[in-house]
């Protein structure tokens, strides 16, 4: 039976479990780990920060035996412990040390792939050498920039650096819900031409940048034909995901936008139905970036 293990972001175990169950999968939760079977091949778990593919169950007789069996499969391993923590750590201590230093914006990603493993009980473990993230539990840390006008800039840093989705210098970008200006600041520093739209004003240091134009107004009433062709449509608007979906469709159907990056923000109950509508858009991706809170990032790159 096809099995995967998905790692939920901290505090979003329920979101991951619900998403997997709604896809038709059978799920066993072990804290942040969702051990899922019967996952439809087309469904990508947006709430999973790391997915362990083809996990194998390994029986072992001692700590040394477990470490030897893991080393025989792959050199580098990341432990996600949910039970028998001390025993698990003693096994991990017998494996080659892994380094996980903060990375630079648009810097190179770790070259070494990481296997992931967890103890199931005292004498068996679940391990996978094929994981979707090169970071332990898919958690990415950056060497930050104190100049940024808001923490939101980290979402674009992660998307651009880790997912390789990014506009080229000179790209015409629309930034919806731009204030105080973290995203606009990232895009402007990359050499993009930014139209920043928000009811609120931008931080003065950002609005002064020469490649930034501001439109202080309601983003929902802006007409595509009044803006013209756009290379990238960005939205970090605080709004209901279903309203964002309608907004995105308005701009998609205009034929004036090539690429999209949007944050789906949830308040209270997670709107899984709207998230699925976004995920269904052909060629797009929906993912909980490690920097996302109760939100998902959706993108479409032409
Ligand atoms: C999370 S903040 C955006 C942060 C921004 N991306 C950054 O990097 O600094 C959300 C923004 O959406 C704006 N917003 C919400 N509804 C809006 C609307 N209908 N029209 C324009 N701006 C709106 C708010 O004023 C707020 O500044």
């Amino acid at each position: 039976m096809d099995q995967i293990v998905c790692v939920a972001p901290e505090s979003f175990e329920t979101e991951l479990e619900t998403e997997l169950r709604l896809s038709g999968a059978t799920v066993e939760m072990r804290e942040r780990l969702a051990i899922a079977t019967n996952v439809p091949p087309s469904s990508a778990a947006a709430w999973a920060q790391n997915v362990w593919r083809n996990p194998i169950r390994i029986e072992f007789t001692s700590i040394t035996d477990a470490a030897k069996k893991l080393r025989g499969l792959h050199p580098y391993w990341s432990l996600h412990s949910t039970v028998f923590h001390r025993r698990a750590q003693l096994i991990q201590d017998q494996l080659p040390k892994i380094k996980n230093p903060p990375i630079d914006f648009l810097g190179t990603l770790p070259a070494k792939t990481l296997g992931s493993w967890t103890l199931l009980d005292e004498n068996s473990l679940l391990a996978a050498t094929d994981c979707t993230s090169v970071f332990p539990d898919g958690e990415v840390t950056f060497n930050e920039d104190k100049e940024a006008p808001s923490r939101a800039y980290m979402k674009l840093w992660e998307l651009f650096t880790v997912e390789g989705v990014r506009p080229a210098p000179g790209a015409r970008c629309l930034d919806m819900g731009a204030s105080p200006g973290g995203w606009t600041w990232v895009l402007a520093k990359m050499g993009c031409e930014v139209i920043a739209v928000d009811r609120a004003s931008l931080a003065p240091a950002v609005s002064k940048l020469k490649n930034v134009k501001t439109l202080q107004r309601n983003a929902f009433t802006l007409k595509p034909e009044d803006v013209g062709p756009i290379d990238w449509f960005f939205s970090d608007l605080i709004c209901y995901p279903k309203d964002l979906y309608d907004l995105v469709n308005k701009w998609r159907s205009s034929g004036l936008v090539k690429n999209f990056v949007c944050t789906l923000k949830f308040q209270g109950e997670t709107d899984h139905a709207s998230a699925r509508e976004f995920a269904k858009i052909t060629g797009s991706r929906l993912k909980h970036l490690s920097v996302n809170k109760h939100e998902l990032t959706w993108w479409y790159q032409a």
Side-chain angles (χ1 to χ4, degrees), residues 150 152-153 177-183 197-200 217-220 236-238 265:
S150 68
Y153 79 102
S179 173
W183 284 25
V197 184
D198 203 299
R199 283 202 192 102
R217 55 165 296 154
N218 183 353
F220 283 88
D236 199 24
L237 285 163
I238 295 176
K265 294 171 186 274

